[in-house]
Amino acid sequence: QWRGHSDTETLLACFSAWGIKKALQAAVGMFAIVLWDRQTKTLTLARDRMGEKPLYWGWQKDTLVFASELKAIKSLSCFTGQIDRNALALLLRHGYIAAPHSIYQGIQKLPPGNYIDIPLTSPEAARSARPAVYWKMNEVIQTGLDNPFTGSPEQATDALEQQLSESIGAQMISDVPLGAFLSSGIDSSTIVALMQAQSQRPVHTFTIGFADKKYNEADQAKAIANHLGTHHTELYVSPEDALAVIPSLPRIYDEPFADSSQIPTFLLSRMARERVTVALSGDGGDELFGGYNTYRLVPSLWRKINTLPAPLRHVAAAGLTCLPTTVWDRFFNLLQPALPKKAKHAVTGEKLHKLAKLLHSVNKEDFYRQMISLWRRPDVVTIGAHEYKTLLNDQIAWPTGLGFAQWMMAADAQLYMPDDILVKVDRAAMANSLEVRVPMLDHRVVELAWRMPLNLKIRDGKSKWLLRQVLYRHVPQALVERPKKGFSVPLAAWLRGPLRDWAEALLNESRLRQEGYFDPALVRRAWANHLSGKRDFSRKLWCVLMFQAWLESSSAR
């Protein structure tokens, strides 16, 4: 006997009929669930497969606490607020704090695809409860490898388009106004194209533009919107608009978070919320379909480096760093007329110095970890820290049987995507009362993607080849085959310009020494090098600044 039609009533009926695990395995989409069983006195917490929605839990003194936001836990009288320095080291390496850790001791993030039954029959039983898995990415990967898609490229395109269309169709069901984010990229363009194909009226699409052409994709997005016939809205953002968001970041993100594209993501969400309540996003395409350049370039680079004996690599690294980046840049500027067109701006002093650090890598997995690290030794920069292991350096947690490119994709899908990309989008959207849905992270799309051979994802030097084939059926190739600008802000210039005084106050040497979290000498050296223009340390400094701003905010204790 149904009394309504809500998600909650449906879930309760499923839990009652099938049990917790089976109901979770049948559920589709994003969720954070807490269920209280009065008969067994058991509390169950569960999080969606891909980690689209947050769920914190843990113990403070003798009290079990849980919430979707840390600020709710901070309001409790039992909250101790002890900062986890090991988690802080993770922030300095990645720009985010990877699950299951949080910035506070005793508070964890429930990992994606996990649930935990906590019996409250006794303190001992409750304390001994541990998360269990109802869906595991590594198992999906292994199943995909064991049962690869064997049809033609055309059949693969058909299969992907059908599965994506089904996911998008289901996620377009809404009793409130709905739209979509649209950049000029493959992912969001594909989502919007398949939305418009199923809609009887123009889909609302939203794009952020920048006056600086190095960061602007609004013109290309508008051309795609015009071709598809969407109801398109664009907002050109000034540096002042973006800078005004920064004081709000600690409140929005609850714990220190240092992906600077959080700023345009917030502004895009704010603009979209003026017209719609739900927006679809194209996130997930890079990790599932081989979109990042690292997947194409890093395997061959590692093969070349690995042919050199370790002692020779160390000598080469010393040679590359004996000259400052500015000297290398002047040298390559002199060579510009003689260099091939593709190489004219490809080699810089900054890249050579980064390569020097990578030459010390002990294996290909360490090579990738060092490549994406912001601080190479965050445990040295963070006083008293012993950095937690993550999927990138915990061999036991690695999926097996993968080539290097697939291994990077699998690692990113389980680490970077849930703990950076999805955190960035969810918090920015929810701060504006906007619900963002991500059709590519429907688990059936994910499972199909891992059945697709790598040569259908990276093909003829093109990333996301298979996804492009779906898009080309709806949008002319010429409209989307343009250089991708990325969704970023000119952070390096801002830190030397309008943000300099703000950053200087947060990085004050006596302040750093008094607070006692970072080695003042190492941080100040990075800051001085950045201000001089010799190095671009904006991303590594942003990690420190986001922690300092969070620490200073009234929400931190």
Side-chain angles (χ1 to χ4, degrees):
Q1 297 296 314
W2 295 88
R3 289 179 291 173
H5 303 282
S6 70
D7 293 348
T8 305
E9 185 177 6
T10 305
L11 281 167
L12 285 170
C14 293
F15 288 141
S16 178
W18 304 334
I20 300 292
K21 186 173 182 179
K22 187 175 179 181
L24 292 173
Q25 290 172 333
V28 178
M30 58 183 183
F31 52 82
I33 295 170
V34 180
L35 177 73
W36 171 241
D37 189 322
R38 287 179 295 181
Q39 291 183 338
T40 64
K41 297 189 184 306
T42 300
L43 189 76
T44 298
L45 287 71
R47 191 175 177 204
D48 65 70
R49 294 171 177 84
M50 303 304 294
E52 293 182 64
K53 284 296 174 183
L55 184 50
Y56 294 93
W57 76 284
W59 294 89
Q60 293 288 283
K61 299 178 182 176
D62 293 322
T63 304
L64 173 66
V65 299
F66 57 89
S68 288
E69 294 183 297
L70 278 176
K71 60 175 66 74
I73 294 174
K74 291 176 191 175
S75 69
L76 301 173
S77 60
C78 62
F79 178 67
T80 60
Q82 295 297 309
I83 289 174
D84 188 337
R85 291 172 182 263
N86 301 340
L88 182 54
L90 285 180
L91 175 72
L92 263 62
R93 182 174 295 280
H94 300 292
Y96 55 85
I97 298 172
H101 311 292
S102 85
I103 191 61
Y104 290 119
Q105 295 179 20
I107 306 295
Q108 301 181 48
K109 301 180 182 94
L110 187 67
N114 277 228
Y115 70 103
I116 181 170
D117 291 326
I118 307 174
L120 299 185
T121 50
S122 72
E124 295 77 16
R127 284 276 190 175
S128 63
R130 296 292 181 269
V133 174
Y134 70 88
W135 188 91
K136 191 172 185 178
M137 177 69 84
N138 282 355
E139 293 177 359
V140 169
I141 293 169
Q142 193 61 56
T143 300
L145 294 176
D146 294 341
N147 302 278
F149 187 88
T150 56
S152 67
E154 184 73 15
Q155 290 170 325
T157 306
D158 290 340
L160 179 58
E161 182 170 16
Q162 180 179 343
Q163 189 61 70
L164 268 178
S165 295
E166 289 179 10
S167 172
I168 290 167
Q171 296 198 26
M172 287 175 68
I173 298 172
S174 175
D175 55 6
V176 294
L178 175 137
F181 296 156
L182 178 63
S183 71
S184 64
I186 303 298
D187 304 338
S188 64
S189 298
T190 302
I191 297 299
V192 170
L194 296 180
M195 286 178 72
Q196 192 60 69
Q198 300 181 59
S199 179
Q200 299 299 315
R201 62 187 68 178
V203 171
H204 286 274
T205 53
F206 303 93
T207 297
I208 285 280
F210 297 93
D212 189 335
K213 292 184 178 180
K214 291 187 295 184
Y215 299 91
N216 187 45
E217 295 183 336
D219 291 342
Q220 295 165 237
K222 186 175 182 180
I224 293 169
N226 288 339
H227 175 81
L228 293 171
T230 71
H231 188 283
H232 192 59
T233 303
E234 60 184 17
L235 173 68
Y236 272 79
V237 178
S238 69
E240 291 74 23
D241 294 329
L243 296 174
V245 175
I246 291 174
S248 303
L249 294 178
R251 173 186 57 81
I252 294 168
Y253 284 90
D254 249 358
E255 65 179 347
F257 179 75
D259 182 338
S260 61
S261 62
Q262 63 201 129
I263 298 171
T265 302
F266 175 85
L267 293 169
L268 177 62
S269 298
R270 187 171 68 185
M271 174 182 64
R273 184 60 185 87
E274 293 176 359
R275 292 172 172 80
V276 300
T277 310
V278 176
L280 270 59
S281 166
D283 294 303
D286 289 304
E287 294 82 0
L288 294 176
F289 297 100
Y292 297 127
N293 287 332
T294 49
Y295 305 150
R296 290 189 300 110
L297 304 176
V298 168
S300 60
L301 180 59
W302 168 250
R303 282 194 298 270
K304 292 172 184 175
I305 287 175
N306 199 36
T307 59
L308 299 174
L312 188 56
R313 278 192 266 153
H314 297 327
V315 171
L320 290 173
T321 54
C322 70
L323 295 177
T325 57
T326 51
V327 175
W328 281 116
D329 287 340
R330 287 198 296 269
F331 174 71
F332 287 117
N333 283 335
L334 291 174
L335 290 179
Q336 286 284 318
L339 292 174
K341 186 176 180 181
K342 287 186 177 180
K344 282 188 182 294
H345 302 287
V347 182
T348 63
E350 192 68 39
K351 289 182 179 179
L352 288 181
H353 275 226
K354 188 167 186 177
L355 176 61
K357 294 179 181 178
L358 298 175
L359 289 172
H360 296 291
S361 303
V362 296
N363 55 41
K364 63 181 184 296
E365 292 84 9
D366 182 50
F367 181 77
Y368 183 59
R369 180 169 178 258
Q370 296 300 336
M371 172 170 277
I372 63 174
S373 294
L374 302 177
W375 290 84
R376 189 164 179 266
R377 291 295 308 277
D379 54 335
V380 174
V381 184
T382 309
I383 297 170
H386 299 281
E387 186 182 355
Y388 290 121
K389 280 190 173 183
T390 69
L391 182 65
L392 292 178
N393 61 337
D394 185 2
Q395 192 168 354
I396 296 174
W398 291 350
T400 58
L402 297 178
F404 191 16
Q406 291 174 310
W407 181 89
M408 288 186 283
M409 291 166 61
D412 285 348
Q414 297 178 76
L415 193 65
Y416 176 63
M417 184 166 65
D419 292 320
D420 186 311
I421 299 297
L422 296 180
V423 168
K424 174 184 68 180
V425 173
D426 178 77
R427 308 307 191 274
M430 294 307 293
N432 289 289
S433 301
L434 178 74
E435 178 185 333
V436 173
R437 302 174 182 175
V438 190
M440 286 195 195
L441 298 188
D442 182 316
H443 69 278
R444 296 162 298 187
V445 176
V446 175
E447 289 164 1
L448 176 63
W450 276 105
R451 290 187 60 216
M452 295 297 175
L454 184 62
N455 65 11
L456 291 181
K457 299 176 182 179
I458 302 174
R459 191 182 183 98
D460 302 327
K462 291 281 188 183
S463 60
K464 290 189 279 200
W465 184 87
L466 186 59
L467 203 56
R468 291 173 190 269
Q469 306 316 302
V470 174
L471 180 57
Y472 295 159
R473 293 178 173 183
H474 302 269
V475 176
Q477 187 170 341
L479 281 183
V480 292
E481 289 299 336
R482 301 177 183 181
K484 177 72 176 165
K485 304 285 179 59
F487 200 49
S488 57
V489 294
L491 187 60
W494 284 359
L495 289 176
R496 296 187 187 109
L499 287 180
R500 180 168 178 167
D501 291 344
W502 168 79
E504 182 61 56
L506 292 173
L507 301 179
N508 178 275
E509 186 169 356
S510 60
R511 176 176 182 165
L512 291 172
R513 186 172 291 109
Q514 181 180 3
E515 290 166 344
Y517 291 104
F518 301 119
D519 183 315
L522 294 176
V523 173
R524 293 297 302 182
R525 187 186 309 156
W527 179 231
N529 274 315
H530 182 79
L531 289 179
S532 72
K534 294 177 181 178
R535 305 294 300 272
D536 179 1
F537 282 156
S538 56
R539 294 183 66 219
K540 62 180 359 180
L541 288 165
W542 193 245
C543 298
V544 178
L545 288 165
M546 283 294 95
F547 175 78
Q548 291 293 96
W550 172 85
L551 194 66
E552 186 181 63
S553 73
S554 58
S555 61
R557 285 168 61 174

